[in-house]
Amino acid sequence: MRAYKVEKDGSISTSLKGKSVLSTSYLNKGSAFTEEEREELHLQGLLPPTVLTLKEQAKRAYEQFEKAPNDLQKNNSLNDLHNRNVVLFYRLLTDHLSEMLPIIYTPTVGQSIQEYSHEYHRPDGLYLSVNEADRLSEAIENLGLDSEDIDLLVVTDSESILGIGDWGVGGINIAIGKLAVYTAAAGIDPSRVLPVVLDVGTNNEKLLNDPLYIGNRHERIRGERYDHFVDQFISKSLEIFPNALLHWEDFGNVNARNIINKYGKEILTFNDDIQGTGAVTLAAIFSAVQVSKMPLRDHRVLIFGPGTAGIGIADQVRDAMVLDGITEDEAYKNFWAVDFRGLLTDDMDDLLGFQTPYARKAEEVKDWNREEDKISLLEVVRQVKPTILIGTSGVAGAFSEEIVKEMAKHVERPAILPMSNPTPLAEATPENLLNWTEGKALVATGSPFEPVNYDGVEYEIGQSNNAFVFPGLGLGSIVVKAEVITDSMFAACAHAVAQMVDSSKPGASLLPRVEELREVSYNVALAVANAAIKDGVAKEVPTDVKAAVKAAMWEPTYKEIKALETVNA
């Protein structure tokens, strides 16, 4: 049981006193404690005498942030602030969201993960070891939380971190970063979330040979023992927090797929790399469809890089096509997938399970041109004349001038989405895409790009950032206590994001701006909650859904803190 409780009037009651209050980040106000609170909470002599406002503290904190010499130190300083004073951290983050989002989240969080053992200051979250699988309940119960205390867990096993690979226990920082975005964007109460790392070892030799590495020092556990550990974790965590949403992050593609295939229709859960990436890309596609005027179900989609993200996008678009009025079998016929093997065909013996439905019949393409026994991306573009080209390959410059011009010869408004990140890995630059198509390409990217001027028009380039989707998806699901996340709920996410832009204007972005993230998240949450209610998976149906979503959005403001000898459960 927590030593504090949020009352119905918004105030906080706590049995803690003195330094215990100051060391509890959710309660600590630092120099902003009022004279009355200092008296009641036994803080006399523990703080300098002047009482500052939250605004004044935020100004000072921003000055300190600016003095950090590099982005990693800025990330560390923000993490330290979060560990000292949660409200001030989120006030600062909210005031400077577009500037600080790349520091607390991608790309800087990747560097903080790599340096985790060397920059380690204090534990933050739940560290679950595969070597203590029989003590999972004990570990979770050590948090001292009740069944109604947690709404959301972000869970990683750190095998596939942000394109930088396997970073073992340091992956806890990706979960922490994601949760910071949940709160900043959608107002998920930071006292009701939990970052979790499943430490199953690492295959990163640098970590295994590092004497300061603080995770399990052995190769990754695979197979039955791994699966059993994940099953135990899900069972124990939902036994203790029965209403919690489980968000999976940066798992390897095989395990990611296995988990979501096994549990996606059984519990409240989703995988952001698969389904979140798919939903935000679908939003960009919905915007492009508004411009092209061609129904989604009639589009021809070419995926270059059919891995976890690429097939995750394909799955979301497929499901949206089905909602648009065609069968699943008909939808699969609208997709082609290309990787280092060329066009995926059903006679290949090394296809992964999740790629198989997107492989074309070998008989269908037997007369297509081949280079080194592969059907190239260019040949597929020539034969298929795709209307949508999506890159998730990490192959810089893969969308060449020849390929793009070939696509544009047959499509009036080609949607070209180079989604690989970071920026140097993009399949093409927006500037080239617009030049090669005479300004006709509809472009969104996975990395940030500056606007492009072409023929007197400024084209704003929308970044396909999962932060437009997962915070609102989580909030909407939590508000109505959804049993599962349905295909319609994901589609509702994408539609809500697409409706935030007017893509009919010359040069308009296909996606919103990061500065609009809070508004986007509210609209996504509202759409998700209503979709859950319509699908019959909502355990709670508010009389006023808009009011319920707004009421659930935590604000970074100081609440009155009252002292109690004990706190009621």
Side-chain angles (χ1 to χ4, degrees):
M1 178 171 42
R2 279 200 176 112
Y4 61 86
K5 178 183 178 184
V6 179
E7 304 291 353
K8 291 182 179 179
D9 64 0
S11 66
I12 301 174
S13 299
T14 180
S15 58
L16 299 176
K17 301 287 177 65
K19 286 191 175 181
S20 295
V21 174
L22 300 180
S23 62
T24 303
S25 60
Y26 194 77
L27 299 179
N28 185 28
K29 300 182 184 182
S31 57
F33 277 109
T34 66
E35 296 290 355
E36 293 77 14
E37 289 172 331
R38 295 179 187 214
E39 181 73 26
E40 192 169 345
L41 298 170
H42 297 186
L43 299 176
Q44 303 95 327
L46 303 183
L47 294 166
T50 298
V51 176
L52 297 183
T53 64
L54 177 57
K55 183 178 180 180
E56 290 168 331
Q57 287 181 309
K59 180 181 178 181
R60 180 177 59 196
Y62 185 63
E63 290 176 355
Q64 295 169 346
F65 169 83
E66 286 188 303
K67 291 177 182 176
N70 54 55
D71 287 349
L72 179 59
Q73 291 304 314
K74 287 180 177 179
N75 176 279
N76 290 339
S77 69
L78 288 175
N79 285 337
D80 285 344
L81 178 59
H82 179 271
N83 290 334
R84 294 196 314 271
N85 185 328
V86 164
V87 172
L88 178 55
F89 168 81
Y90 282 109
R91 178 75 275 154
L92 184 67
L93 181 57
T94 302
D95 289 347
H96 305 277
L97 186 58
S98 60
E99 178 183 1
M100 292 185 177
L101 192 62
I103 302 297
I104 63 157
Y105 186 42
T106 179
T108 308
V109 70
Q111 189 179 358
S112 77
I113 289 167
Q114 293 176 72
E115 300 296 332
Y116 183 75
S117 291
H118 289 260
E119 297 289 340
Y120 179 83
H121 288 186
R122 55 168 281 177
D124 189 2
L126 191 60
Y127 304 76
L128 299 178
S129 170
V130 69
N131 301 318
E132 296 183 334
D134 58 338
R135 302 183 67 183
L136 283 178
S137 292
E138 179 184 347
I140 299 171
E141 288 168 359
N142 283 341
L143 293 165
L145 301 175
D146 290 336
S147 62
E148 296 299 317
D149 285 343
I150 294 294
D151 295 323
L152 169 65
L153 292 82
V154 174
V155 188
T156 186
D157 76 349
S158 317
E159 183 176 4
S160 186
I161 297 286
L162 295 173
I164 60 174
D166 178 352
W167 286 91
V169 76
I172 189 75
N173 271 2
I174 193 65
I176 293 168
K178 284 281 183 177
L179 288 171
V181 179
Y182 266 111
T183 297
I188 303 287
D189 188 332
S191 74
R192 301 184 58 80
V193 303
L194 182 63
V196 181
V197 61
L198 303 181
D199 189 349
V200 296
T202 177
N203 292 343
N204 186 327
E205 290 295 326
K206 180 178 179 180
L207 297 181
L208 292 174
N209 294 324
D210 184 350
L212 293 182
Y213 178 58
I214 55 178
N216 281 328
R217 293 169 177 270
H218 56 70
E219 291 187 354
R220 281 188 168 268
I221 299 300
R222 303 285 189 189
E224 185 177 342
R225 185 180 170 196
Y226 175 93
D227 295 339
H228 183 59
F229 180 53
V230 172
D231 291 343
Q232 285 179 294
F233 163 70
I234 293 172
S235 174
K236 298 299 183 183
S237 60
L238 293 184
E239 180 182 319
I240 296 172
F241 308 122
N243 295 316
L245 164 63
L246 294 180
H247 166 144
W248 306 96
E249 187 71 28
D250 287 349
F251 283 68
N253 55 22
V254 174
N255 288 326
R257 279 279 166 180
N258 288 345
I259 292 169
I260 212 65
N261 287 344
K262 184 173 183 178
Y263 289 101
K265 302 298 183 183
E266 303 296 325
I267 63 175
L268 183 61
T269 192
F270 76 103
N271 182 296
D272 190 48
D273 304 298
I274 298 172
Q275 294 156 303
T277 299
V280 73
T281 307
L282 179 60
I285 290 171
F286 280 149
S287 293
V289 165
Q290 292 172 11
V291 178
S292 70
K293 308 299 183 185
M294 178 190 293
L296 178 63
R297 61 182 177 271
D298 295 335
H299 278 267
R300 299 179 298 280
V301 183
L302 174 50
I303 305 289
F304 181 62
T308 299
I311 297 299
I313 292 168
D315 286 347
Q316 291 286 315
V317 180
R318 175 206 64 201
D319 291 342
M321 287 179 172
V322 172
L323 292 171
D324 198 35
I326 62 177
T327 67
E328 188 172 280
D329 286 341
E330 289 170 331
Y332 278 124
K333 293 177 182 177
N334 291 335
F335 290 86
W336 289 259
V338 177
D339 65 8
F340 63 94
R341 298 164 290 187
L343 177 69
L344 300 191
T345 54
D346 62 1
D347 60 343
M348 293 178 171
D349 57 10
D350 56 350
L351 294 175
L352 297 173
F354 60 84
Q355 296 172 328
T356 302
Y358 293 96
R360 306 298 296 198
K361 293 186 181 302
E363 178 68 20
E364 170 193 344
V365 299
K366 65 180 182 179
D367 296 326
W368 291 17
N369 292 326
R370 283 173 164 76
E371 299 175 11
E372 298 179 357
D373 204 33
K374 299 176 184 178
I375 299 176
S376 69
L377 177 62
L378 177 59
E379 176 67 8
V380 177
V381 171
R382 285 174 177 153
Q383 296 284 351
V384 172
K385 302 174 178 59
T387 57
I388 299 171
L389 174 60
I390 300 169
T392 50
S393 67
V395 180
F399 296 168
S400 66
E401 182 174 1
E402 185 180 11
I403 287 170
V404 171
K405 286 186 172 179
E406 178 66 29
M407 180 180 181
K409 278 198 308 189
H410 308 286
V411 182
E412 178 63 25
R413 299 302 304 272
I416 307 178
L417 313 177
M419 291 299 177
S420 292
N421 56 56
T423 305
L425 298 183
E427 286 80 7
T429 66
E431 182 177 12
N432 282 340
L433 293 175
L434 290 164
N435 285 329
W436 295 339
T437 62
E438 299 179 344
K440 294 179 180 179
L442 300 167
V443 181
T445 61
S447 300
F449 282 91
E450 294 297 319
V452 175
N453 286 295
Y454 178 83
D455 197 22
V457 176
E458 182 172 89
Y459 292 81
E460 189 172 351
I461 309 303
Q463 183 187 358
S464 184
N465 192 325
N466 290 22
F468 288 128
V469 168
F470 69 80
L473 175 63
L475 179 63
S477 300
I478 289 167
V479 165
V480 298
K481 292 189 176 180
E483 296 174 327
V484 296
I485 299 177
T486 64
D487 294 343
S488 296
M489 291 163 72
F490 284 116
C493 281
H495 278 297
V497 174
Q499 288 166 5
M500 291 292 295
V501 297
D502 183 359
S503 53
S504 65
K505 294 181 179 179
S509 171
L510 298 181
L511 292 164
R513 299 175 181 175
V514 170
E515 291 83 357
E516 302 170 297
L517 191 51
R518 187 88 171 182
E519 184 182 359
V520 171
S521 297
Y522 165 75
N523 286 318
V524 168
L526 184 61
V528 167
N530 282 323
I533 293 168
K534 184 177 180 180
D535 284 352
V537 298
K539 290 186 283 189
E540 290 189 2
V541 180
T543 54
D544 186 336
V545 180
K546 288 184 178 180
V549 171
K550 286 182 178 178
M553 296 180 75
W554 180 87
E555 296 283 348
T557 57
Y558 285 137
K559 312 300 191 294
E560 180 184 4
I561 300 180
K562 303 174 183 178
L564 288 178
E565 291 304 319
T566 58
V567 178
N568 295 329

